[in-house]
Amino acid sequence: MRDVARRDTERCMTALKRIEREPLWDLAHAQLRDALLAGRFEPGTVLTLRSLAESFGTSITPVRDAVTRLVAQGVLQQGPRNSAIVPHLSRRELSDLTVVRCALEGRAAREAALRRHDEAALRKLQDRLSTMQSLIAARKLESYLEHHRKFHFGIYAMSGVPLLVETIENMWLRCGPVLSYVIPEYVVLLKGWDHHTAALKAIVAGDADGAEREIVADITDAAHYLASLADTTGQLRRPSGLITS
Amino acid sequence: MRDVARRDTERCMTALKRIEREPLWDLAHAQLRDALLAGRFEPGTVLTLRSLAESFGTSITPVRDAVTRLVAQGVLQQGPRNSAIVPHLSRRELSDLTVVRCALEGRAAREAALRRHDEAALRKLQDRLSTMQSLIAARKLESYLEHHRKFHFGIYAMSGVPLLVETIENMWLRCGPVLSYVIPEYVVLLKGWDHHTAALKAIVAGDADGAEREIVADITDAAHYLASLADTTGQLRRPSGLITS
DNA sequence: TTTTGTTGTTTGTTATAACAAACATCGTCG
DNA sequence: CGACGATGTTTGTTATAACAAACAACAAAA
């Protein structure tokens, strides 16, 4: 037993690999987060603690922590009696979201263009761009959405301002549920594609104004398309069918 | 008993006054929030659930909810073993905060200038401005800080974008503890005063560029002053004495 | 003297039970 | 037949206890 302990301490000293057992509420939080972002929850659904706890196979305490966190972030809306409901997105809320996203993501693109960035990150983004192009051609929309997300945040990460990236991530989470089922019909029109390439090109050229302009155009174009889908009450709903793979 | 119920329903129907018993964790959250914003917690302090529970006279469950919420907002930093510590602010983090605040608050000022705003709100802001001036002269710094905060958020509220105001509020919470004990020495120099009047003047004139410029200048000026107070390790510390009233 | 092993304490995590308010269901009375 | 009221159920809130990991203090051995 002694040499075992010795070996343990040695490993900790040399590798510095943390054990870090993830708490249950952290796992629940991550699962709920991903589900929201992927649009697996219909807007308007009330998330009850006990049903979620049963799904996760845990007590209600961890899921309560997770839900509390999501509500604090503004990802989940709190309905009557402090119940957590996955939020609807009205045309007005979408408009507000667009304003904030333009300010934040436009600034991030600007900062990214002004920085000296490593070639590896740039090449990675360019590769991802061509991957996205082929994914669109193959109509693999779910996979495209993942790459699309990573492309955007790849740019924002190059701003060198973690707080900026974190705040933008929060905004994406808020419009995540809706985006997931309206973007697929949007991207096949290749509307946003040129903005992506132009933005990346502006960044490699160090053109801050151009980078901001293209990112803002990408956001506002998508927002206009989304707004056109709203019904007479200003609510955004799933247009026709479910996501096919 | 029957007429009591009748009267209850009648009252609910007519007045529509919500009862809304505030949960304990909400009170704890508000108290912690205010304490953080007022700088009553020394940065670096670890907030243990049991000690807070004892202070509030409740169980640890409500304070756990409150702390969880604060951590999710980024107001409290989570240290090792998920303990909540009131965050230090390094020069780097202050710089990041400044970037985000400029993007957000600059945009809010711009939106406010572009809107048709009611005269009552404008007059209220002008009154507050003169109040702030007299408070500075009287060296009533704590009261000044409150008016200063309300002046800024009065402008941001005129943007008509609640999400923007909410996000800005979150950023203020992050730098709240530090601001509280460095701003007092700053405002007596009257450095930020002209920016405030100029910003309000630009808004009434509908000058969006001017409004954004002045708000950004106000933020960056204060940030520069704050950065000059950082020590060699990049940490911002309380300069000399405590706040006197 | 320095290091190591042990023990007691602290602290976040989780489960569980009790509670109260809100909701739904259904029976009863007008 | 329709509205009102009682009752059971659902659901968030809070308290409490048990648990494990980490930290601190101390004692013993090299």
Side-chain angles (χ1 to χ4, degrees):
Chain A
M1 185 198 275
R2 180 175 298 171
D3 38 355
V4 172
R6 165 65 61 91
R7 203 174 46 198
D8 270 354
T9 54
E10 209 164 319
R11 184 179 49 187
C12 284
M13 284 307 174
T14 56
L16 284 176
K17 187 69 159 294
R18 263 296 173 73
I19 309 296
E20 296 223 24
R21 178 184 63 96
E22 289 277 309
L24 285 182
W25 60 260
D26 213 332
L27 302 176
H29 175 77
Q31 283 207 33
L32 284 175
R33 204 186 97 110
D34 291 346
L36 261 324
L37 217 121
R40 283 195 287 271
F41 285 126
E42 191 73 17
T45 308
V46 290
L47 299 177
T48 65
L49 298 181
R50 285 175 174 83
S51 61
L52 286 176
E54 192 180 10
S55 302
F56 288 132
T58 69
S59 163
I60 68 172
T61 313
V63 305
R64 179 177 170 80
D65 278 14
V67 169
T68 295
R69 234 159 234 242
L70 264 345
V71 171
Q73 285 183 265
V75 180
L76 288 179
Q77 195 173 1
Q78 67 176 13
R81 208 194 99 231
N82 286 338
S83 63
I85 67 183
V86 25
H88 277 288
L89 209 57
S90 67
R91 196 181 335 214
R92 175 56 185 278
E93 291 165 322
L94 175 67
S95 167
D96 291 2
L97 221 22
T98 304
V99 170
V100 177
R101 284 189 55 195
C102 284
L104 252 21
E105 301 178 37
R107 179 59 177 253
R110 172 176 292 273
E111 293 289 326
L114 293 175
R115 281 193 159 245
R116 287 286 156 270
H117 21 259
D118 52 323
E119 298 296 326
L122 282 178
R123 205 179 329 277
K124 211 166 185 175
L125 283 182
Q126 282 166 340
D127 289 349
R128 196 181 294 282
L129 214 43
S130 54
T131 303
M132 285 160 62
Q133 197 174 0
S134 58
L135 284 173
I136 290 180
R139 294 292 190 275
K140 308 200 68 166
L141 299 178
E142 187 144 332
S143 183
Y144 168 81
L145 281 177
E146 183 65 18
H147 279 272
H148 171 260
R149 197 183 65 83
K150 287 185 177 174
F151 173 77
H152 272 267
F153 280 94
I155 289 180
Y156 306 148
M158 291 198 317
S159 70
V161 184
L163 178 61
L164 201 44
V165 181
E166 180 186 331
T167 312
I168 293 171
E169 214 165 8
N170 204 323
M171 296 304 138
W172 277 56
L173 243 51
R174 297 199 185 214
C175 53
V178 181
L179 276 184
S180 67
Y181 58 71
V182 285
I183 277 293
E185 309 190 350
Y186 174 68
V187 296
V188 298
L189 305 173
L190 302 181
K191 296 275 284 285
W193 189 71
D194 35 351
H195 290 312
H196 293 156
T197 53
L200 186 53
K201 196 168 295 181
I203 286 174
V204 300
D207 175 16
D209 288 325
E212 177 173 3
R213 178 170 18 91
E214 293 299 329
I215 287 294
V216 167
D218 182 41
I219 296 171
T220 53
D221 279 4
H224 282 134
Y225 175 77
L226 280 160
S228 68
L229 294 180
D231 59 16
T232 55
T233 68
Q235 295 291 327
L236 276 76
R237 303 191 184 284
R238 173 163 290 156
S240 53
L242 295 171
I243 311 169
T244 57
S245 173
Chain B
M1 185 200 273
R2 181 175 296 170
D3 38 357
V4 172
R6 165 67 59 91
R7 204 175 47 200
D8 268 356
T9 55
E10 210 165 320
R11 184 179 50 187
C12 285
M13 284 306 175
T14 56
L16 284 176
K17 187 69 160 296
R18 262 299 174 69
I19 308 299
E20 297 222 24
R21 179 184 62 97
E22 289 276 309
L24 285 182
W25 59 259
D26 212 332
L27 302 176
H29 175 77
Q31 283 207 32
L32 284 175
R33 204 188 97 110
D34 292 346
L36 261 323
L37 212 107
R40 283 195 288 272
F41 284 126
E42 190 73 18
T45 308
V46 289
L47 299 178
T48 65
L49 298 182
R50 284 173 175 83
S51 61
L52 287 177
E54 192 179 10
S55 302
F56 287 130
T58 69
S59 164
I60 68 171
T61 311
V63 304
R64 180 179 169 80
D65 279 15
V67 169
T68 295
R69 224 159 246 237
L70 265 345
V71 171
Q73 284 183 267
V75 180
L76 288 179
Q77 195 172 0
Q78 67 175 15
R81 208 193 101 235
N82 287 338
S83 64
I85 67 182
V86 26
H88 277 287
L89 210 56
S90 66
R91 196 180 337 213
R92 175 57 184 278
E93 290 165 323
L94 175 67
S95 166
D96 292 2
L97 222 23
T98 304
V99 170
V100 177
R101 284 188 56 195
C102 284
L104 253 21
E105 301 179 37
R107 180 59 177 252
R110 172 176 291 275
E111 293 289 325
L114 293 176
R115 282 194 158 244
R116 287 287 156 271
H117 23 257
D118 53 324
E119 297 297 325
L122 282 177
R123 204 179 330 276
K124 208 166 186 176
L125 283 182
Q126 282 166 339
D127 288 348
R128 196 183 295 282
L129 214 44
S130 54
T131 304
M132 285 160 63
Q133 196 174 2
S134 58
L135 283 173
I136 289 179
R139 294 292 190 275
K140 308 199 69 166
L141 299 178
E142 187 145 333
S143 182
Y144 168 81
L145 281 177
E146 183 65 16
H147 280 271
H148 171 260
R149 196 182 64 85
K150 286 184 177 176
F151 173 78
H152 272 268
F153 280 94
I155 290 180
Y156 305 149
M158 293 201 314
S159 71
V161 185
L163 178 61
L164 201 45
V165 181
E166 180 187 330
T167 312
I168 292 171
E169 213 165 10
N170 203 323
M171 295 305 138
W172 277 56
L173 243 51
R174 296 202 185 212
C175 53
V178 179
L179 277 184
S180 66
Y181 59 71
V182 285
I183 277 291
E185 309 191 349
Y186 175 67
V187 296
V188 298
L189 305 174
L190 302 181
K191 295 276 283 285
W193 190 71
D194 35 351
H195 290 312
H196 292 157
T197 54
L200 186 54
K201 196 169 295 183
I203 286 173
V204 301
D207 175 17
D209 288 325
E212 177 173 1
R213 178 168 19 90
E214 293 299 329
I215 288 293
V216 167
D218 182 42
I219 297 171
T220 52
D221 278 5
H224 281 133
Y225 175 78
L226 279 160
S228 70
L229 294 179
D231 58 15
T232 55
T233 68
Q235 297 290 327
L236 277 76
R237 304 191 184 282
R238 173 162 288 154
S240 53
L242 297 171
I243 311 171
T244 57
S245 174

